[in-house]
């Protein structure tokens, strides 16, 4: 994106610093008023720029502020049309390469002393609006690249739309609607040029809204959004503003006496807000009625205004135990997005059992889950209430991947000896609330409560050495160094194994381990960096040091505070690949492997993916109940509560792509998976 300096006239230009912080060293020269610069990176109101061309007065690159006390210091601008640039080259006898980009032509002309001016971006957009004068038909959309079809190798889609590389989907759609008005075939009947440019705009819009293609383009051009600093932190209002309501949603109808199908509890948090977006889309096609509940009245009102439709039953502000119980009693299924679970989760579970309302919780808190199991499991079974815990992104895809391999071996008459899962993620970041979740849990407490089988699943011979041994080692499946993975996943899958012993046994010797792989490292080279990465990804490791460390890191702005999380561009660039390797409990030790891909974006995003899975799980239960069936009551894991209801197929429909292969994965494939910048679908 291009910017022009409009401030600093009275001071000789804008002050430039060598880094984003305002305390960074100041450059020796100022950036003169009128200078055109190219955006390299943006962090809030700070712009990392590079000047266009050589010999431009002032620093060649640096950091400046976009505004000062409400006054703009730089304004976005659009280049002249390609036709104008080419005409200027021809008029001045300048030979330009046919494949030169618009910006290259512009810089060339300025370096040759030819004055060409940019329009402020708003004026450029205004010039594309419909004009009734027929003589201007040929100029319609002339500022767009002069090609018949969109090609990302030729035309920069961000340049085409005049938007920054980190523009939200909402911005892309609204910009497309604005620009296409001038070129739509209904507005320009018989105009072949306008029709071609309309097709180009549409193709560019579809390209940018495809998370896979957009991530690939951003990777090649260095546009991937950084996740190593506070640039990706967004508070609730920023996240909410990025979301787009489904077209055609309507105001809520009056509350009804009967229960809502689904209550989104904790709707004013990050994942709960995304759940409102997902739920409004589902309800828009007539699937289920829904309501929301939370503590913040302002946020509840905003959510209702944006997402409520005819299936919406209302919002509950919850500040007391009585209000919590009333909200829970109003629904058939509660999706609990509140957190951390040790603050409110037990009260929610108790209220659900008392009201005979089924519960789906995305908790990653193992000790909270153990508490619910020990105190409410039998009471919930007696009441016919299902309590599904660990229904979020950390556990559900892994729980079902392991189950799928176990089922494959069962189909061959074999028990499962072992399943290893290897997880690779690009773009993954933790929200403030997720990082806070484990602050009241310590390794000592886990060990005192049955680790490594806190949620059950210990095999008949008791705790084995291999159940506890988790040291970095050279992995037999990949030849890379394997580092212990998610403690939450491990506890949940082992808990599932225990629950399924009386239903579909995994096997008397079953062992589950999860790993991260480190490319090109020897065990003695394992560093604190890898340890910190694994802890961050586990969602509990960092916080096991205690709440004091968490508070200190928030104050030092090393991690986001509770309620904050990644902005849309980060979420839409995230993808995950999991490789499951199963070994049969036979002398031959037959192997199978399963590859799971999700993303980029949508269900590849930890937060939208969690919301989507939990909502689909609620729909699965409701379909079962409405058809006269029953649910498995009591405490349980995703596989225990959903596997017999064909939820596996629903996961695949949502976008979790699982592919089964014979044998173990090749080392070459594993190396490619763990160094890829886009998900690999199979071993081809």
């Amino acid at each position: 994106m291009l910017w022009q300096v409009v401030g600093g006239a009275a001071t000789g230009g804008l002050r430039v610093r060598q880094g984003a912080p305002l305390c960074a060293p100041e450059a020796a020269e100022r950036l003169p008023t009128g200078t055109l610069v190219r955006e390299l990176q943006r962090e809030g109101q700070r712009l990392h720029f590079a000047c266009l061309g050589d010999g431009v007065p002032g620093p060649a690159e640096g950091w400046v502020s976009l505004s000062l006390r409400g006054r703009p210091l730089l304004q976005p601008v659009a280049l002249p049309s390609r036709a104008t640039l080419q005409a200027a080259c021809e008029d001045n006898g300048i030979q330009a390469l046919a494949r030169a980009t618009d910006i290259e032509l512009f810089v060339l002309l300025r370096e040759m002393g030819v004055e060409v001016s940019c329009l402020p971006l708003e004026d450029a957009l205004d010039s594309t609006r419909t004009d009734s004068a027929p003589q201007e038909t040929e100029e319609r959309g002339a500022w767009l690249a002069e090609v018949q079809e969109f090609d990302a190798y030729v035309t920069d889609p961000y340049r085409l739309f005049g938007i920054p590389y980190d523009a939200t989907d909402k911005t892309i759609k609204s910009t497309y609607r604005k620009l296409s008005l001038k070129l739509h075939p209904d507005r320009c009947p018989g105009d072949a040029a306008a029709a071609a440019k309309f097709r180009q705009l549409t193709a560019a819009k579809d390209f940018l809204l495809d998370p896979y293609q957009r991530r690939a383009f951003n990777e090649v051009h260095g546009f991937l959004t950084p996740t190593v600093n506070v640039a990706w932190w967004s508070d609730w209002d920023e996240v909410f503003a990025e979301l787009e309501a489904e077209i055609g949603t309507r105001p809520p109808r009056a509350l009804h006496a009967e229960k809502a199908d689904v209550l989104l509890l904790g709707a004013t948090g990050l994942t709960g807000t995304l759940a409102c977006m997902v739920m409004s889309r589902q309800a828009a096609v007539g699937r289920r009625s829904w309501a929301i509940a939370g503590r913040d009245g302002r946020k509840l009102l905003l959510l209702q205004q944006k997402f409520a439709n005819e299936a919406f039953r209302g919002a509950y502000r919850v500040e007391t135990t009585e209000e919590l119980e009333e909200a829970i009693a109003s629904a058939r299924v509660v999706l609990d997005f509140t957190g951390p679970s040790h603050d409110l989760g037990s009260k929610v579970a108790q209220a659900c059992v008392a009201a005979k309302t089924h519960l789906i919780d995305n908790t990653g808190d193992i000790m909270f889950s153990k508490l619910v199991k020990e105190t409410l499991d039998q009471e919930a079974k007696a009441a016919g209430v299902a309590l599904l815990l660990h229904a979020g992104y950390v556990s559900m895809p892994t729980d079902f991947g392991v189950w799928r391999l176990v089922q494959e071996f069962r189909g061959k008459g074999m028990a499962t000896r072992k399943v290893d899962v290897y997880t690779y993620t690009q773009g993954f970041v933790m929200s403030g609330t997720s990082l806070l979740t484990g602050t009241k849990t310590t390794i000592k407490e886990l060990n005192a409560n049955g680790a490594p089988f806190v949620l059950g699943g210990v095999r008949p011979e008791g705790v084995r050495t291999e159940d506890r041994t988790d040291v970095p080692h050279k992995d037999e499946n990949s030849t890379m160094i394997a580092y212990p993975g998610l403690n939450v996943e491990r506890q949940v899958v082992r808990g599932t194994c225990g629950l399924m012993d009386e239903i579909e046994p995994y096997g008397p010797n079953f062992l589950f381990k999860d790993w991260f792989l480190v490319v090109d490292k020897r065990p003695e080279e394992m560093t604190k960096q890898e340890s910190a990465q694994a802890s961050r990804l586990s969602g509990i490791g960092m916080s096991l040091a205690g709440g004091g460390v968490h508070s200190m890191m928030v104050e030092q702005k090393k991690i986001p505070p509770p309620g904050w999380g990644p902005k849309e561009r980060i979420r839409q660039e995230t993808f995950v690949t999991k490789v499951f390797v199963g070994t049969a409990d036979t002398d031959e030790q037959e192997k199978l492997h399963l590859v799971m891909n999700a993303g980029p974006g949508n269900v590849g995003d930890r937060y939208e993916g969690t919301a989507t899975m939990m909502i689909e799980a609620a729909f699965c239960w409701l379909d079962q109940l409405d058809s006269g069936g029953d649910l498995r009551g009591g405490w349980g894991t995703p596989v225990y509560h959903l596997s017999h209801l064909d939820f596996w197929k629903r996961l695949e429909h949502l976008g979790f792509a699982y592919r089964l292969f014979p044998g173990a994965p090749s080392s070459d494939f594993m190396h490619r998976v763990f160094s890829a910048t886009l998900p690999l679908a199979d071993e081809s």
Side-chain angles (χ1 to χ4, degrees), residues 17-93:
R17 297 193 180 273
Q18 297 174 15
L22 293 174
C23 60
E26 187 175 342
E29 298 178 277
R30 291 191 171 229
L31 189 64
T33 304
T35 304
L36 288 168
V37 299
R38 178 167 56 91
E39 177 181 320
L40 300 177
Q41 183 183 350
R42 206 185 318 173
E43 293 189 6
Q45 283 295 303
R46 298 287 287 165
L47 176 73
H48 187 197
F49 72 88
C51 288
L52 294 181
D54 299 325
V56 178
E61 64 93 23
W63 289 83
V64 293
S65 295
L66 291 173
S67 62
L68 178 65
R69 291 190 287 274
R71 299 195 308 272
L73 300 179
L74 296 96
Q75 69 176 5
V77 296
L79 289 175
S81 70
R82 187 171 185 85
T84 300
L85 294 170
Q86 289 174 332
C89 288
E90 294 173 2
D91 293 344
N92 290 275

Side-chain angles (χ1 to χ4, degrees), residues 111-147:
E111 290 179 347
M112 296 297 291
V114 179
E115 187 62 33
V116 283
S117 300
C118 293
L119 282 174
L121 187 58
E122 282 300 315
D123 293 345
L125 293 177
D126 288 341
S127 71
T128 67
R129 291 173 182 157
T130 303
D131 194 312
S132 59
Q135 64 269 24
E136 295 187 7
T137 301
E138 292 302 318
E139 295 299 321
R140 198 172 273 124
W143 65 279
L144 299 175
E146 298 290 336
V147 292

